[in-house]
Amino acid sequence: LPNAEFYFNLSRSGNQLAFYFGPAEGGVDLETIRPSAPFIEIAKQHFHANEQNFIASDEDFFTIWTRKESVLKAMGTGLQSTISDLDATESTIKKDGHTYQIASYQSDEKLISFAMSQSDFETPICLSL
């Protein structure tokens, strides 16, 4: 792909992988849905107030977690940056001069979210959970 911008990101949960390939900055996160009670303290300390109010189930916690992590991966910072100022309940996040679109999908056991910097093209998605 000479002279073409190309971005790649991946996530693993158990024996499953999720990949992002595309011409725009993007990130993906895949998590197994499990009891979230041990993680509620993380939410209290590091989640945006809107996110804390959103969480009513294990699925809700992992929806926010995967959405937040996918944006941080798209930004290239991962969990090294402050995560409480990102409100992943929204489908669009603006951060550091960039706009990211977020989408999430759930199966019985897995939750996957991806984020991509906003652009003028559609990105096809292929998921097998």
Side-chain angles (χ1 to χ4, degrees):
L1 301 170
N3 302 318
E5 290 202 36
F6 182 78
Y7 297 89
F8 168 81
N9 191 251
L10 69 94
S11 182
R12 180 180 73 87
S13 181
N15 62 355
Q16 294 185 317
L17 296 170
F19 298 92
Y20 168 83
F21 302 93
E25 295 168 323
V28 64
D29 190 45
L30 173 67
E31 295 286 341
T32 301
I33 299 169
R34 54 198 185 273
S36 62
F39 307 108
I40 296 303
E41 282 304 313
I42 292 171
K44 288 179 182 176
Q45 293 178 12
H46 300 288
F47 281 16
H48 189 277
N50 290 345
E51 295 169 335
Q52 292 178 43
N53 292 332
F54 174 84
I55 298 171
S57 68
D58 297 332
E59 290 85 0
D60 293 344
F61 175 87
F62 286 104
T63 296
I64 295 299
W65 182 264
T66 59
R67 292 170 69 83
K68 188 176 285 285
E69 190 163 345
S70 68
V71 171
L72 295 170
K73 287 174 148 186
M75 292 170 54
T77 62
L79 292 173
Q80 297 174 351
S81 64
T82 304
I83 64 173
S84 61
D85 63 342
L86 294 175
D87 181 0
T89 62
E90 301 293 330
S91 60
T92 302
I93 291 180
K94 294 183 180 186
K95 178 78 172 160
D96 299 334
H98 296 275
T99 302
Y100 300 92
Q101 299 293 332
I102 311 170
S104 299
Y105 303 92
Q106 180 180 339
S107 72
D108 290 339
E109 299 176 358
K110 302 283 184 184
L111 223 148
I112 185 171
S113 295
F114 78 96
M116 184 178 68
S117 62
Q118 191 172 20
S119 58
D120 295 331
F121 60 88
E122 295 290 325
T123 299
I125 298 171
C126 177
L127 299 174
S128 175
L129 295 175

